[in-house]
Amino acid sequence: MILIYLLKVSACTLMFFAAYQLLLVRLTFFNLNRIYLLLMLVLSFVIPAVTIENRHEVTVASQEIPFKIAYSNDGVVEQDFVDESSAANNSLNWDQLLMYGYCSILAVLVFRMLFVMVRIQIQLRRHAIDRSGAVILVDEKSTIKNCSFLNQIIIDSSLQYEEKNLVIKHESVHVEQLHAVDKLLVNLVAAILWFNPIIYFWRNAIGHNHEFLADRETSKVADKKVYAFLLLNLAMPEKKILINSFSKLPLKNRIMMMYKEPNAKLQKLAYVAIIPVLMICCMAFTNRKEIILEKKLTGNQASADAPIKPNVYAMNYLNSNIKVNPNAAFNEVEPTLVIDAGHGGKDGAVSALDGQKEKDLNLRAVKILKEEAEKRGIKVILTRSTDQFLSLRDRLPKQEATAFISIHHNATLANAAVPFGGVEVYVSKLNSNIKTAEDLGAGILSKLKQLKGMEVRDSLKNANLLLLRESKIPAVLIELGNISDGKTLHYINQEKNIQRISNLILDGFVAFSKRGC
């Protein structure tokens, strides 16, 4: 997310500017300070954009997930339940609102910068009374005078000849050393990082350093006392951030630096102390992607005495748009499965032939699935553990997990023929990580085909359901049977059969999780 990236950039600017204030700001190596301020500003944007990949190899048993994934489109698709009382809240996307707000302010600041540049040019045309190369003489009414703007030097025509020469010498340094480029860069960065207070101090530091450079060159050809008196005489606050003013407040540091003895060359070693700060920023704010390459074992190579607890690999789907790579995996972590019992509370959904509500059958199945998962050492998070209503968005996983499974039961309208009474597995092709969900769904489906006593559809089904469409982690929805069919209802009413289905689902989950990403 761009806002997270900008926060990392801001953290880098904080550390680099703190180092500048502590170690470099009092040194008279003005050229080196200029390089530092510009280079570290650029690196603050580069470091959080860098991704470092670490590759390791692990050995795992080969998995039985089918390579070819088929879809079927027939059958009943359950509709999303919409809670009208919370529809307005659900429609708000806070990430988008923050992004729109940020971009709006950025656009205003960039427009303001361009407007100021145009306004300066208009004022120069209006008040200019003479031009000689880059030097422009303006009348007393001009608010822009004794400064440089881009490659132009603006001088107050009322100044004495000697004063004009000193101002021109000073401003020529700004023009020759291209200080205007620094100004444009830091003002653009200030627009991008408008929420970061450090960037405004950084901008001031660059401006002050420009003046130190110009003062040093000017004092070489002028009497320091006369020059300092002129600075005080023409002192005024800088009102426009895009120009270099000859004499802007505060002047105390400029005069002190002008009279200060140059630092010894040995003191340049202070710049070496920046290296640890740079290393800390690199370690803290560069992105790391650890990829573990799978070396698969087949047949007799796989251990028959493998532990029950699956070796599941980390899948940070909430942090980035990670695509599953069947040849790679992350570090081993505790397997985590988020399970959703469909409907609940005021959303009772449909009723079975014997009067049971689907919401209750879903919750019973989920609790059994949770018990079987915990026997295998799989951590389970339930979206609901009681008969309560949750909006669809509240069911979406908010924490990192290996997979998300929503449990439902199908139904058919009264007096209508049951088209299919068995188990079905749904995914959504509209999900940005559909390939990951397909791998999960196909793995679970391949295990469910071993079920005896109830039919299992032999292909995945595509459904435009919110839970499947917008989940950030791999998500499937499983219909455990059609409760409008008497035979199916009799089968799923027996707890041992739900335990069998649960273990087959978990077999598919474990097979998927070992693939990693």
Side-chain angles (χ1 to χ4, degrees):
M1 185 180 178
I2 186 65
L3 296 181
I4 299 299
Y5 166 74
L6 292 175
L7 288 175
K8 289 183 178 181
V9 172
S10 298
C12 286
T13 62
L14 172 61
M15 296 188 68
F16 288 138
F17 190 73
Y20 175 78
Q21 288 294 110
L22 290 173
L23 302 172
L24 310 178
V25 71
R26 296 175 183 83
L27 299 180
T28 58
F29 306 119
F30 304 131
N31 286 318
L32 288 176
N33 280 357
R34 182 189 180 192
I35 293 171
Y36 173 86
L37 288 169
L38 295 177
L39 180 61
M40 294 303 111
L41 194 59
V42 173
L43 286 179
S44 294
F45 281 85
V46 171
I47 290 172
V50 173
T51 298
I52 300 174
E53 291 187 357
N54 296 320
R55 296 176 178 268
H56 305 282
E57 186 176 278
V58 295
T59 303
V60 298
S62 61
Q63 306 303 320
E64 299 179 5
I65 296 179
F67 292 98
K68 186 176 180 180
I69 298 175
Y71 281 94
S72 60
N73 296 315
D74 58 321
V76 177
V77 177
E78 184 176 40
Q79 299 298 313
D80 288 348
F81 179 88
V82 178
D83 179 21
E84 294 182 359
S85 64
S86 60
N89 292 331
N90 290 342
S91 64
L92 289 176
N93 188 320
W94 291 106
D95 288 343
Q96 285 186 348
L97 286 177
L98 285 173
M99 194 63 193
Y100 289 150
Y102 166 80
C103 291
S104 298
I105 296 175
L106 172 60
V108 169
L109 293 174
V110 172
F111 175 79
R112 174 177 174 267
M113 184 170 68
L114 296 175
F115 176 77
V116 168
M117 295 175 70
V118 172
R119 190 165 176 266
I120 291 173
Q121 291 289 5
I122 293 173
Q123 285 227 8
L124 290 179
R125 290 196 188 98
R126 181 179 301 169
H127 297 283
I129 59 177
D130 186 40
R131 290 176 182 265
S132 177
V135 179
I136 302 174
L137 291 179
V138 294
D139 57 38
E140 295 180 1
K141 295 180 180 179
S142 176
T143 58
I144 303 173
K145 54 189 175 183
N146 304 324
C147 63
S148 60
F149 173 65
L150 301 179
N151 62 340
Q152 303 170 104
I153 298 173
I154 302 98
I155 305 296
D156 185 353
S157 60
S158 65
L159 292 179
Q160 298 297 319
Y161 179 77
E162 294 80 4
E163 294 174 336
K164 287 179 183 177
N165 285 340
L166 283 177
V167 175
I168 290 173
K169 173 59 181 176
H170 175 96
E171 298 303 330
S172 295
V173 177
H174 291 312
V175 173
E176 291 167 3
Q177 295 187 5
L178 301 177
H179 291 172
V181 176
D182 301 3
K183 284 270 186 179
L184 290 172
L185 174 63
V186 74
N187 279 291
L188 179 59
V189 171
I192 295 171
L193 299 179
W194 55 263
F195 55 88
N196 176 14
I198 296 300
I199 197 61
Y200 303 108
F201 292 106
W202 199 301
R203 182 170 65 186
N204 288 338
I206 288 179
H208 293 163
N209 192 66
H210 286 170
E211 300 309 322
F212 296 153
L213 285 164
D215 290 341
R216 181 178 65 184
E217 296 302 316
T218 306
S219 62
K220 290 178 182 178
V221 297
D223 183 271
K224 288 185 179 180
K225 290 183 179 180
V226 173
Y227 182 61
F229 179 78
L230 182 61
L231 287 175
L232 293 171
N233 189 44
L234 299 180
M236 61 183 294
E238 184 181 26
K239 296 180 179 179
K240 295 179 174 59
I241 58 178
L242 291 172
I243 65 176
N244 287 102
S245 296
F246 170 72
S247 182
K248 62 180 180 180
L249 296 174
L251 296 174
K252 180 181 177 181
N253 286 345
R254 288 177 62 179
I255 295 174
M256 286 178 60
M257 281 295 189
M258 194 162 53
Y259 281 95
K260 185 176 181 179
E261 289 293 325
N263 294 113
K265 291 184 178 181
L266 189 62
Q267 289 183 276
K268 289 183 179 179
L269 291 174
Y271 292 92
V272 178
I274 302 302
I275 295 175
V277 180
L278 182 60
M279 293 179 64
I280 291 172
C281 286
C282 289
M283 290 187 291
F285 302 115
T286 53
N287 304 301
R288 284 173 174 76
K289 183 177 180 182
E290 189 166 0
I291 298 177
I292 300 179
L293 303 176
E294 281 189 3
K295 182 179 179 182
K296 295 187 177 181
L297 298 179
T298 57
N300 295 330
Q301 289 178 308
S303 173
D305 300 321
I308 294 177
K309 181 176 179 178
N311 51 326
V312 179
Y313 299 99
M315 298 182 181
N316 299 315
Y317 292 96
L318 297 186
N319 293 334
S320 59
N321 292 325
I322 295 175
K323 307 294 184 182
V324 162
N325 179 352
N327 298 318
F330 279 125
N331 286 335
E332 187 175 339
V333 296
E334 180 184 21
T336 303
L337 177 60
V338 179
I339 308 176
D340 170 55
H343 310 285
K346 60 184 177 182
D347 177 20
V350 296
S351 297
L353 289 176
D354 58 1
Q356 295 184 82
K357 291 285 187 181
E358 184 198 346
K359 64 175 184 177
D360 300 322
L361 290 170
N362 295 341
L363 186 58
R364 184 193 65 152
V366 160
K367 288 183 176 180
I368 294 174
L369 179 57
K370 179 175 183 286
E371 290 175 0
E372 298 302 313
E374 289 175 344
K375 291 177 184 177
R376 301 181 181 219
I378 299 172
K379 179 182 176 181
V380 172
I381 299 173
L382 299 183
T383 59
R384 70 177 180 98
S385 57
T386 59
D387 182 20
Q388 66 178 120
F389 172 79
L390 292 173
S391 67
L392 293 174
R393 291 191 180 277
D394 288 338
R395 296 173 186 269
L396 288 170
K398 305 298 189 300
Q399 64 275 27
E400 293 293 353
T402 314
F404 174 50
I405 298 176
S406 183
I407 298 296
H408 288 254
H409 291 76
N410 221 333
T412 308
L413 296 176
N415 301 321
V418 176
F420 183 79
V423 180
E424 297 174 304
V425 179
Y426 289 82
V427 296
S428 173
K429 290 184 178 180
L430 297 178
N431 189 288
S432 59
N433 281 323
I434 178 57
K435 296 301 181 184
T436 315
E438 283 180 339
D439 283 345
L440 174 63
I444 292 175
L445 192 60
S446 66
K447 299 298 182 180
L448 284 171
K449 288 178 183 178
Q450 303 172 22
L451 184 65
K452 305 297 183 182
M454 186 163 64
E455 193 175 359
V456 176
R457 192 177 291 277
D458 60 1
S459 55
L460 293 177
K461 297 195 69 176
N462 175 42
N464 182 16
L465 299 176
L466 185 143
L467 291 183
L468 302 180
R469 184 178 67 243
E470 300 194 17
S471 175
K472 301 298 184 184
I473 65 175
V476 298
L477 183 146
I478 303 176
E479 300 278 6
L480 294 185
N482 194 311
I483 54 179
S484 299
D485 179 74
K487 181 180 178 182
T488 298
L489 184 60
H490 175 73
Y491 184 87
I492 62 177
N493 272 335
Q494 299 178 56
E495 185 173 322
K496 63 180 182 179
N497 292 332
I498 299 298
Q499 289 175 334
R500 291 194 190 106
I501 295 174
S502 296
N503 279 288
L504 291 173
I505 291 172
L506 294 172
D507 288 343
F509 164 74
V510 170
F512 163 79
S513 65
K514 288 182 179 180
R515 292 167 65 89
C517 64

